[in-house]
Amino acid sequence: MVMSMVRIEHLAPDLVLIDTQYCEVPGAIGAYLLLGERPALIEVGPASTVDTLLAGIRAAGLEPDDLRAVAVTHIHLDHAGATGTLVHRLPHLEVYVHHVGAPHLVDPSRLLASAGRLYGDALAPLFGEVRPIPAERVHALGDGDEIHLGGRRLVAVDTPGHARHHHAYFDAASGDLFTGDAAGVALPGSHYVRPPTPPPELDVDAWETTLARLRALHARRLLLTHFGPHTWVNELLDQMRERLRAAVALVRTAVDAGERDEEISERVRAVVDASLEATDGPGAVGRYEVIMATEQSALGLIRYVKGTTRRR
Ligand SMILES: [Zn+2]
């Protein structure tokens, strides 16, 4: 295997962003390494890029064996897929995850079935092998639970919306907020925020509450998994909320008009691509598609809208 060049960035003396270079694309999926008395990762990326992750850890001056903890924001494979592989290689590693997600790290069969419905035959080549984790290594977190990562104390913040089982991690001392997917996707150098809205757990009402909650933390910096640090905190969270609302409205109108799912998906793609290119310039669409295909985001919205329409 050809090892890609290591790409790491120091965000603070004790905090390093490692680029997993998923699908050879820089700035798509990140992992955060916290240095200090209890070396730890927040997010690990998919199993397919675990060697790049380990190379990044070494480039930051740490031996992977020194790692003590991993905290994941949620169990989707682009965030947590490598956790099992790491646990089997690194004997001291403890895993922290939302209590609703915890059983699916111990037994990933339902998670893999769900991901398989979205990705089909591409699942294994994209994400690699997802290994189960012994239950005694998995620590289920609830809202407000505190964990010790690196030299920092972080608080788990229940942040449903993108998924039911999602935590952000907040470090009140520095103002750093690790947002997973809860603040959406905003790539380096861009001021465009894209809401990742896949099935099956998308809950737009819950997500609105989550965004208000994140805003109320008064974070100094958002640290996104897709991708990197952003200091335009309030603008980012507000734009995320507006784009989420607009996407739901678009899909609801189309569903009410009786359009087929494929037509709705195309409609979403046209609107998203146009607004993205207007903000980021031509050719901007590709690097977002690597993180989440518009088709998947549209599918999640359609399913959500049809579900809430039935309930009304
Ligand atoms: Zn996700």
Side-chain angles (χ1 to χ4, degrees), residues 91 99-100 164 166 168-170 246 253 262 277:
H99 62 93
V100 175
R164 196 175 302 132
H166 193 293
Y169 295 103
F170 185 49
T253 304
E262 301 74 40
E277 291 197 347

Side-chain angles (χ1 to χ4, degrees), residues 73-79 162-163 165-166 180-182 196 198 226 292:
T73 59
H74 64 304
I75 63 173
H76 289 168
L77 299 179
D78 52 332
H79 296 252
H162 169 81
H165 65 280
H166 193 293
D181 283 342
H226 319 290
M292 173 149 299

Side-chain angles (χ1 to χ4, degrees), residues 291-303:
I291 296 162
M292 173 149 299
T294 303
E295 214 180 327
Q296 289 180 17
S297 270
L299 203 64
L301 289 164
I302 292 166
R303 189 165 158 169

